[in-house]
Amino acid sequence: MDKLAAVLASGRAAYDRGDWKAAYQQFSRARAQSALTLEDLSQFSSAAFSCGMVKDMLGSSEELYHRLLREGDASKAAMKALSLGLMWVLRGDTVVGSGWINRARRLLRSEQESVEHGFLLYLEAAYALSFYDSGPAVSAAIQLDEMGERLQSPALTCLGLVLSGMVDVRNGRCSDGFAQLDEAMLTVLAEQIAPEWAGDIYCTVIHVCHQLADLRRMRAWTTATERWCEQFTNGLTYSGICRVHRLQLLSFEGSWARLEEELERSSADLEDRNPWVAGEAYYQLGEIRRLLGNAAGAWNAFSRARNLGVEPQPGEALLWLDTGRPDAGWSALCAALDVPDRLARAQLLRPAVHMAQLQGLHDQAERLCQDLEETAATYASTGFQAWAEHARGGLLTAQHRPDEALPILRSAARLYHEIDARYEVANIYELLGKAHRDLGQLELAAANTAAALEIYRGLGANRDIQRLSPATSPAGLTPREIEVLICLTEGASNKEIAAELFISQKTVGRHLANIFAKLDVTTRTAAAAWAHEQNLAPGHSRL
């Protein structure tokens, strides 16, 4: 046996036993010496895909397409063109991807109905769905189900279920939609559909789970994808994508300092393989850096996300707010809200409610909050419901309506606990502290604020730690007592103070008694004089 024959035999044997790395290496050596047969070239392309060698996979697939075309096998050439179309779209180059899909379309135009026609139908419908046009997907799902039965093709039935499931989920019929997506996964698990298409199905479903903030389902699908990826070695593209999804989940749970390094590495690794997912990873990196207090690093990550086609909102808008430009943040968020995709819009609504309230746009904040509540009711997502209650509780707290805010905030805390969203839990504890303080329940206020601060410290949320850490206050006055004292220096009566701060006159009296005791004075005049000496005159910052 000559050397070339030995190398090819070794590559084929490695491929048969699923050793993709060895198969890729041996076929690469053989290909450098001589043209491969169609079968060997197909195995080389498959091994390159399994190893994440994207350029070699694309190059060998294109060579396969042309050779199949020359041999007159239009159906197989069309299928290869469709796979290339899928891969280029995943890489973020929809123009090249569309070109390959059109080549398949032309080839299949004169062919009898085949499985390849079904894959073309799926890609066309999925592409339309990505632009919020569900009509082709509804029609294609029905056709694929019928074709799957006629052609005895589980793969086509699977693709029909995916389209139908995605349409149902996007239209708020989440239970029906996910039931169909779960059924489609049975075909994937049975290995009745090619890996590149199986991986796309996994990633499509995980992405919609992330959009819905359905973190429990996202964890389940991510775990299933990780198990599926175990059959591949050394850098399968989908393994990298799955890693990003896992890091997104872990970002909700904490350990930001460790995740920052992993996200940066994963983002860079995927830029050439799947730019869009790399952009998602850079966005998550920017969010972590923002919360860690690294504004420069966050700007950089958000910029890289945008360059890869991912609009970095609401994180960038919140970064404008954090760095003293709430007007710029509000403008950016308003622009991002002008999208037809209700799922994408939902992720922007809670920050938008908060920023509208800060801008003094109370009517707009109310409309945005109602929009989020309606969306949460439509999709029945635990995450959406938590966001809606968080937004409503925040509005009521800002309006000094603590009795109404407290039960809603407690419900939001329970929902956030269910999905392990630690940072959001801390946000709720902070709001609970403010609500209890408005009611004059100072011990409960202090306990909730301390709980929020403890979580922030565990996460390393430096911006929030700095904001909530006890500051040195004259005579040990609380923030609310300082507010009451400032009103007093303006000559306000107890009734006027109560109206100004949205608290009862009884609560005002209790605050004044505490203030007098801490200042060791007995009259309002003496307390006002002390306030002027401490520069706590009107205009002092109020919390």
Side-chain angles (χ1 to χ4, degrees), residues 440-469:
Q441 299 167 345
L442 302 185
E443 289 186 5
L444 283 173
N448 279 283
T449 303
L453 185 55
E454 184 65 23
I455 295 173
Y456 288 143
R457 284 174 175 155
L459 292 169
N462 296 319
R463 178 179 56 83
D464 298 287
I465 294 167
Q466 198 171 41
R467 181 172 49 77
L468 272 195
S469 293

PDB file of all heavy atoms in Angstrom, residues 440-469:
ATOM      1  N   GLY A 440     -42.451  54.214  57.244  1.00  0.00           N
ATOM      2  CA  GLY A 440     -41.870  54.441  58.565  1.00  0.00           C
ATOM      3  C   GLY A 440     -41.424  53.167  59.254  1.00  0.00           C
ATOM      4  O   GLY A 440     -41.085  53.168  60.432  1.00  0.00           O
ATOM      5  N   GLN A 441     -41.392  52.060  58.496  1.00  0.00           N
ATOM      6  CA  GLN A 441     -40.963  50.757  59.061  1.00  0.00           C
ATOM      7  C   GLN A 441     -39.450  50.638  58.861  1.00  0.00           C
ATOM      8  O   GLN A 441     -38.953  49.945  57.972  1.00  0.00           O
ATOM      9  CB  GLN A 441     -41.723  49.633  58.355  1.00  0.00           C
ATOM     10  CG  GLN A 441     -43.222  49.730  58.542  1.00  0.00           C
ATOM     11  CD  GLN A 441     -44.015  48.814  57.604  1.00  0.00           C
ATOM     12  OE1 GLN A 441     -43.488  48.303  56.614  1.00  0.00           O
ATOM     13  NE2 GLN A 441     -45.292  48.607  57.921  1.00  0.00           N
ATOM     14  N   LEU A 442     -38.727  51.352  59.716  1.00  0.00           N
ATOM     15  CA  LEU A 442     -37.303  51.549  59.485  1.00  0.00           C
ATOM     16  C   LEU A 442     -36.487  50.266  59.629  1.00  0.00           C
ATOM     17  O   LEU A 442     -35.499  50.070  58.916  1.00  0.00           O
ATOM     18  CB  LEU A 442     -36.772  52.627  60.435  1.00  0.00           C
ATOM     19  CG  LEU A 442     -37.475  53.989  60.326  1.00  0.00           C
ATOM     20  CD1 LEU A 442     -36.804  55.022  61.208  1.00  0.00           C
ATOM     21  CD2 LEU A 442     -37.494  54.467  58.874  1.00  0.00           C
ATOM     22  N   GLU A 443     -36.872  49.393  60.551  1.00  0.00           N
ATOM     23  CA  GLU A 443     -36.116  48.146  60.705  1.00  0.00           C
ATOM     24  C   GLU A 443     -36.265  47.259  59.472  1.00  0.00           C
ATOM     25  O   GLU A 443     -35.292  46.668  58.984  1.00  0.00           O
ATOM     26  CB  GLU A 443     -36.583  47.403  61.958  1.00  0.00           C
ATOM     27  CG  GLU A 443     -36.165  48.081  63.255  1.00  0.00           C
ATOM     28  CD  GLU A 443     -36.519  47.242  64.470  1.00  0.00           C
ATOM     29  OE1 GLU A 443     -36.992  46.099  64.285  1.00  0.00           O
ATOM     30  OE2 GLU A 443     -36.320  47.727  65.597  1.00  0.00           O
ATOM     31  N   LEU A 444     -37.494  47.156  58.968  1.00  0.00           N
ATOM     32  CA  LEU A 444     -37.711  46.376  57.746  1.00  0.00           C
ATOM     33  C   LEU A 444     -36.998  47.016  56.560  1.00  0.00           C
ATOM     34  O   LEU A 444     -36.433  46.327  55.705  1.00  0.00           O
ATOM     35  CB  LEU A 444     -39.210  46.266  57.449  1.00  0.00           C
ATOM     36  CG  LEU A 444     -39.995  45.264  58.301  1.00  0.00           C
ATOM     37  CD1 LEU A 444     -41.488  45.396  58.023  1.00  0.00           C
ATOM     38  CD2 LEU A 444     -39.531  43.843  58.007  1.00  0.00           C
ATOM     39  N   ALA A 445     -37.022  48.340  56.512  1.00  0.00           N
ATOM     40  CA  ALA A 445     -36.332  49.044  55.425  1.00  0.00           C
ATOM     41  C   ALA A 445     -34.841  48.738  55.459  1.00  0.00           C
ATOM     42  O   ALA A 445     -34.226  48.421  54.433  1.00  0.00           O
ATOM     43  CB  ALA A 445     -36.563  50.546  55.539  1.00  0.00           C
ATOM     44  N   ALA A 446     -34.264  48.808  56.646  1.00  0.00           N
ATOM     45  CA  ALA A 446     -32.826  48.562  56.786  1.00  0.00           C
ATOM     46  C   ALA A 446     -32.485  47.113  56.438  1.00  0.00           C
ATOM     47  O   ALA A 446     -31.470  46.840  55.786  1.00  0.00           O
ATOM     48  CB  ALA A 446     -32.380  48.880  58.213  1.00  0.00           C
ATOM     49  N   ALA A 447     -33.342  46.182  56.848  1.00  0.00           N
ATOM     50  CA  ALA A 447     -33.072  44.765  56.582  1.00  0.00           C
ATOM     51  C   ALA A 447     -33.101  44.468  55.084  1.00  0.00           C
ATOM     52  O   ALA A 447     -32.233  43.757  54.558  1.00  0.00           O
ATOM     53  CB  ALA A 447     -34.101  43.901  57.309  1.00  0.00           C
ATOM     54  N   ASN A 448     -34.087  45.017  54.365  1.00  0.00           N
ATOM     55  CA  ASN A 448     -34.177  44.777  52.923  1.00  0.00           C
ATOM     56  C   ASN A 448     -33.032  45.449  52.172  1.00  0.00           C
ATOM     57  O   ASN A 448     -32.470  44.867  51.237  1.00  0.00           O
ATOM     58  CB  ASN A 448     -35.527  45.268  52.396  1.00  0.00           C
ATOM     59  CG  ASN A 448     -36.646  44.271  52.628  1.00  0.00           C
ATOM     60  OD1 ASN A 448     -36.761  43.281  51.918  1.00  0.00           O
ATOM     61  ND2 ASN A 448     -37.457  44.523  53.641  1.00  0.00           N
ATOM     62  N   THR A 449     -32.681  46.644  52.587  1.00  0.00           N
ATOM     63  CA  THR A 449     -31.559  47.341  51.940  1.00  0.00           C
ATOM     64  C   THR A 449     -30.258  46.583  52.177  1.00  0.00           C
ATOM     65  O   THR A 449     -29.427  46.448  51.271  1.00  0.00           O
ATOM     66  CB  THR A 449     -31.449  48.780  52.462  1.00  0.00           C
ATOM     67  OG1 THR A 449     -32.693  49.459  52.239  1.00  0.00           O
ATOM     68  CG2 THR A 449     -30.335  49.531  51.754  1.00  0.00           C
ATOM     69  N   ALA A 450     -30.104  46.061  53.400  1.00  0.00           N
ATOM     70  CA  ALA A 450     -28.899  45.282  53.718  1.00  0.00           C
ATOM     71  C   ALA A 450     -28.847  44.001  52.884  1.00  0.00           C
ATOM     72  O   ALA A 450     -27.782  43.581  52.429  1.00  0.00           O
ATOM     73  CB  ALA A 450     -28.866  44.958  55.205  1.00  0.00           C
ATOM     74  N   ALA A 451     -30.019  43.377  52.674  1.00  0.00           N
ATOM     75  CA  ALA A 451     -30.072  42.156  51.854  1.00  0.00           C
ATOM     76  C   ALA A 451     -29.667  42.462  50.417  1.00  0.00           C
ATOM     77  O   ALA A 451     -28.927  41.704  49.781  1.00  0.00           O
ATOM     78  CB  ALA A 451     -31.476  41.559  51.901  1.00  0.00           C
ATOM     79  N   ALA A 452     -30.162  43.593  49.895  1.00  0.00           N
ATOM     80  CA  ALA A 452     -29.785  43.996  48.538  1.00  0.00           C
ATOM     81  C   ALA A 452     -28.283  44.227  48.451  1.00  0.00           C
ATOM     82  O   ALA A 452     -27.618  43.753  47.517  1.00  0.00           O
ATOM     83  CB  ALA A 452     -30.532  45.272  48.142  1.00  0.00           C
ATOM     84  N   LEU A 453     -27.738  44.926  49.433  1.00  0.00           N
ATOM     85  CA  LEU A 453     -26.309  45.239  49.427  1.00  0.00           C
ATOM     86  C   LEU A 453     -25.464  43.970  49.507  1.00  0.00           C
ATOM     87  O   LEU A 453     -24.429  43.850  48.842  1.00  0.00           O
ATOM     88  CB  LEU A 453     -25.984  46.171  50.598  1.00  0.00           C
ATOM     89  CG  LEU A 453     -24.558  46.710  50.690  1.00  0.00           C
ATOM     90  CD1 LEU A 453     -24.154  47.405  49.413  1.00  0.00           C
ATOM     91  CD2 LEU A 453     -24.427  47.638  51.889  1.00  0.00           C
ATOM     92  N   GLU A 454     -25.924  43.004  50.287  1.00  0.00           N
ATOM     93  CA  GLU A 454     -25.189  41.741  50.417  1.00  0.00           C
ATOM     94  C   GLU A 454     -25.123  40.998  49.068  1.00  0.00           C
ATOM     95  O   GLU A 454     -24.085  40.451  48.694  1.00  0.00           O
ATOM     96  CB  GLU A 454     -25.863  40.853  51.471  1.00  0.00           C
ATOM     97  CG  GLU A 454     -25.133  39.557  51.771  1.00  0.00           C
ATOM     98  CD  GLU A 454     -23.772  39.780  52.418  1.00  0.00           C
ATOM     99  OE1 GLU A 454     -23.567  40.849  53.025  1.00  0.00           O
ATOM    100  OE2 GLU A 454     -22.917  38.883  52.298  1.00  0.00           O
ATOM    101  N   ILE A 455     -26.236  40.983  48.345  1.00  0.00           N
ATOM    102  CA  ILE A 455     -26.244  40.330  47.033  1.00  0.00           C
ATOM    103  C   ILE A 455     -25.346  41.089  46.064  1.00  0.00           C
ATOM    104  O   ILE A 455     -24.566  40.486  45.309  1.00  0.00           O
ATOM    105  CB  ILE A 455     -27.680  40.235  46.473  1.00  0.00           C
ATOM    106  CG1 ILE A 455     -28.536  39.329  47.364  1.00  0.00           C
ATOM    107  CG2 ILE A 455     -27.665  39.680  45.045  1.00  0.00           C
ATOM    108  CD1 ILE A 455     -30.008  39.300  46.990  1.00  0.00           C
ATOM    109  N   TYR A 456     -25.446  42.410  46.066  1.00  0.00           N
ATOM    110  CA  TYR A 456     -24.586  43.209  45.185  1.00  0.00           C
ATOM    111  C   TYR A 456     -23.110  42.918  45.460  1.00  0.00           C
ATOM    112  O   TYR A 456     -22.304  42.802  44.532  1.00  0.00           O
ATOM    113  CB  TYR A 456     -24.857  44.699  45.379  1.00  0.00           C
ATOM    114  CG  TYR A 456     -26.176  45.193  44.829  1.00  0.00           C
ATOM    115  CD1 TYR A 456     -26.908  46.179  45.496  1.00  0.00           C
ATOM    116  CD2 TYR A 456     -26.691  44.706  43.631  1.00  0.00           C
ATOM    117  CE1 TYR A 456     -28.112  46.657  44.997  1.00  0.00           C
ATOM    118  CE2 TYR A 456     -27.897  45.165  43.129  1.00  0.00           C
ATOM    119  CZ  TYR A 456     -28.606  46.143  43.823  1.00  0.00           C
ATOM    120  OH  TYR A 456     -29.798  46.608  43.324  1.00  0.00           O
ATOM    121  N   ARG A 457     -22.766  42.799  46.730  1.00  0.00           N
ATOM    122  CA  ARG A 457     -21.370  42.506  47.078  1.00  0.00           C
ATOM    123  C   ARG A 457     -20.958  41.129  46.573  1.00  0.00           C
ATOM    124  O   ARG A 457     -19.851  40.934  46.071  1.00  0.00           O
ATOM    125  CB  ARG A 457     -21.177  42.611  48.587  1.00  0.00           C
ATOM    126  CG  ARG A 457     -21.113  44.053  49.096  1.00  0.00           C
ATOM    127  CD  ARG A 457     -21.073  44.119  50.604  1.00  0.00           C
ATOM    128  NE  ARG A 457     -20.897  45.498  51.069  1.00  0.00           N
ATOM    129  CZ  ARG A 457     -21.287  45.946  52.255  1.00  0.00           C
ATOM    130  NH1 ARG A 457     -21.898  45.118  53.113  1.00  0.00           N
ATOM    131  NH2 ARG A 457     -21.078  47.205  52.592  1.00  0.00           N
ATOM    132  N   GLY A 458     -21.857  40.157  46.717  1.00  0.00           N
ATOM    133  CA  GLY A 458     -21.555  38.811  46.229  1.00  0.00           C
ATOM    134  C   GLY A 458     -21.363  38.767  44.728  1.00  0.00           C
ATOM    135  O   GLY A 458     -20.553  37.990  44.219  1.00  0.00           O
ATOM    136  N   LEU A 459     -22.097  39.615  44.021  1.00  0.00           N
ATOM    137  CA  LEU A 459     -21.986  39.675  42.562  1.00  0.00           C
ATOM    138  C   LEU A 459     -20.793  40.511  42.107  1.00  0.00           C
ATOM    139  O   LEU A 459     -20.314  40.348  40.989  1.00  0.00           O
ATOM    140  CB  LEU A 459     -23.260  40.281  41.964  1.00  0.00           C
ATOM    141  CG  LEU A 459     -24.548  39.466  42.081  1.00  0.00           C
ATOM    142  CD1 LEU A 459     -25.757  40.314  41.697  1.00  0.00           C
ATOM    143  CD2 LEU A 459     -24.475  38.228  41.192  1.00  0.00           C
ATOM    144  N   GLY A 460     -20.364  41.414  42.979  1.00  0.00           N
ATOM    145  CA  GLY A 460     -19.316  42.353  42.569  1.00  0.00           C
ATOM    146  C   GLY A 460     -19.883  43.542  41.814  1.00  0.00           C
ATOM    147  O   GLY A 460     -19.175  44.157  41.009  1.00  0.00           O
ATOM    148  N   ALA A 461     -21.159  43.862  42.058  1.00  0.00           N
ATOM    149  CA  ALA A 461     -21.822  44.981  41.366  1.00  0.00           C
ATOM    150  C   ALA A 461     -21.364  46.288  41.996  1.00  0.00           C
ATOM    151  O   ALA A 461     -22.075  46.909  42.804  1.00  0.00           O
ATOM    152  CB  ALA A 461     -23.337  44.828  41.457  1.00  0.00           C
ATOM    153  N   ASN A 462     -20.172  46.723  41.604  1.00  0.00           N
ATOM    154  CA  ASN A 462     -19.515  47.843  42.289  1.00  0.00           C
ATOM    155  C   ASN A 462     -20.312  49.141  42.241  1.00  0.00           C
ATOM    156  O   ASN A 462     -20.330  49.901  43.207  1.00  0.00           O
ATOM    157  CB  ASN A 462     -18.126  48.067  41.691  1.00  0.00           C
ATOM    158  CG  ASN A 462     -17.216  46.875  41.936  1.00  0.00           C
ATOM    159  OD1 ASN A 462     -17.218  46.305  43.014  1.00  0.00           O
ATOM    160  ND2 ASN A 462     -16.452  46.476  40.936  1.00  0.00           N
ATOM    161  N   ARG A 463     -20.963  49.390  41.101  1.00  0.00           N
ATOM    162  CA  ARG A 463     -21.747  50.623  40.995  1.00  0.00           C
ATOM    163  C   ARG A 463     -22.861  50.654  42.034  1.00  0.00           C
ATOM    164  O   ARG A 463     -23.089  51.665  42.711  1.00  0.00           O
ATOM    165  CB  ARG A 463     -22.338  50.701  39.579  1.00  0.00           C
ATOM    166  CG  ARG A 463     -23.212  51.904  39.318  1.00  0.00           C
ATOM    167  CD  ARG A 463     -23.704  51.859  37.869  1.00  0.00           C
ATOM    168  NE  ARG A 463     -24.398  50.610  37.580  1.00  0.00           N
ATOM    169  CZ  ARG A 463     -25.678  50.398  37.865  1.00  0.00           C
ATOM    170  NH1 ARG A 463     -26.384  51.337  38.456  1.00  0.00           N
ATOM    171  NH2 ARG A 463     -26.250  49.249  37.568  1.00  0.00           N
ATOM    172  N   ASP A 464     -23.538  49.520  42.212  1.00  0.00           N
ATOM    173  CA  ASP A 464     -24.636  49.448  43.183  1.00  0.00           C
ATOM    174  C   ASP A 464     -24.114  49.399  44.611  1.00  0.00           C
ATOM    175  O   ASP A 464     -24.747  49.943  45.523  1.00  0.00           O
ATOM    176  CB  ASP A 464     -25.493  48.219  42.881  1.00  0.00           C
ATOM    177  CG  ASP A 464     -26.130  48.293  41.507  1.00  0.00           C
ATOM    178  OD1 ASP A 464     -27.060  49.085  41.329  1.00  0.00           O
ATOM    179  OD2 ASP A 464     -25.682  47.560  40.609  1.00  0.00           O
ATOM    180  N   ILE A 465     -22.979  48.747  44.810  1.00  0.00           N
ATOM    181  CA  ILE A 465     -22.382  48.698  46.155  1.00  0.00           C
ATOM    182  C   ILE A 465     -22.065  50.111  46.622  1.00  0.00           C
ATOM    183  O   ILE A 465     -22.379  50.508  47.753  1.00  0.00           O
ATOM    184  CB  ILE A 465     -21.092  47.841  46.150  1.00  0.00           C
ATOM    185  CG1 ILE A 465     -21.427  46.380  45.852  1.00  0.00           C
ATOM    186  CG2 ILE A 465     -20.353  47.963  47.481  1.00  0.00           C
ATOM    187  CD1 ILE A 465     -20.214  45.531  45.532  1.00  0.00           C
ATOM    188  N   GLN A 466     -21.443  50.886  45.735  1.00  0.00           N
ATOM    189  CA  GLN A 466     -21.073  52.259  46.068  1.00  0.00           C
ATOM    190  C   GLN A 466     -22.310  53.093  46.369  1.00  0.00           C
ATOM    191  O   GLN A 466     -22.328  53.902  47.300  1.00  0.00           O
ATOM    192  CB  GLN A 466     -20.296  52.855  44.893  1.00  0.00           C
ATOM    193  CG  GLN A 466     -19.487  54.089  45.236  1.00  0.00           C
ATOM    194  CD  GLN A 466     -18.587  54.476  44.081  1.00  0.00           C
ATOM    195  OE1 GLN A 466     -18.983  54.433  42.913  1.00  0.00           O
ATOM    196  NE2 GLN A 466     -17.360  54.857  44.381  1.00  0.00           N
ATOM    197  N   ARG A 467     -23.349  52.873  45.582  1.00  0.00           N
ATOM    198  CA  ARG A 467     -24.576  53.649  45.754  1.00  0.00           C
ATOM    199  C   ARG A 467     -25.293  53.326  47.058  1.00  0.00           C
ATOM    200  O   ARG A 467     -25.867  54.220  47.697  1.00  0.00           O
ATOM    201  CB  ARG A 467     -25.500  53.374  44.558  1.00  0.00           C
ATOM    202  CG  ARG A 467     -26.808  54.119  44.563  1.00  0.00           C
ATOM    203  CD  ARG A 467     -27.538  53.922  43.239  1.00  0.00           C
ATOM    204  NE  ARG A 467     -27.610  52.524  42.853  1.00  0.00           N
ATOM    205  CZ  ARG A 467     -28.453  51.657  43.393  1.00  0.00           C
ATOM    206  NH1 ARG A 467     -29.280  52.046  44.341  1.00  0.00           N
ATOM    207  NH2 ARG A 467     -28.482  50.398  42.990  1.00  0.00           N
ATOM    208  N   LEU A 468     -25.257  52.058  47.468  1.00  0.00           N
ATOM    209  CA  LEU A 468     -26.030  51.641  48.643  1.00  0.00           C
ATOM    210  C   LEU A 468     -25.231  51.599  49.938  1.00  0.00           C
ATOM    211  O   LEU A 468     -25.811  51.498  51.009  1.00  0.00           O
ATOM    212  CB  LEU A 468     -26.626  50.248  48.418  1.00  0.00           C
ATOM    213  CG  LEU A 468     -27.989  50.133  47.756  1.00  0.00           C
ATOM    214  CD1 LEU A 468     -28.555  48.746  47.962  1.00  0.00           C
ATOM    215  CD2 LEU A 468     -28.970  51.171  48.250  1.00  0.00           C
ATOM    216  N   SER A 469     -23.906  51.623  49.841  1.00  0.00           N
ATOM    217  CA  SER A 469     -23.103  51.537  51.058  1.00  0.00           C
ATOM    218  C   SER A 469     -23.417  52.715  51.967  1.00  0.00           C
ATOM    219  O   SER A 469     -23.546  53.854  51.488  1.00  0.00           O
ATOM    220  CB  SER A 469     -21.612  51.533  50.724  1.00  0.00           C
ATOM    221  OG  SER A 469     -21.269  50.354  50.049  1.00  0.00           O
TER     222      SER A 469
END
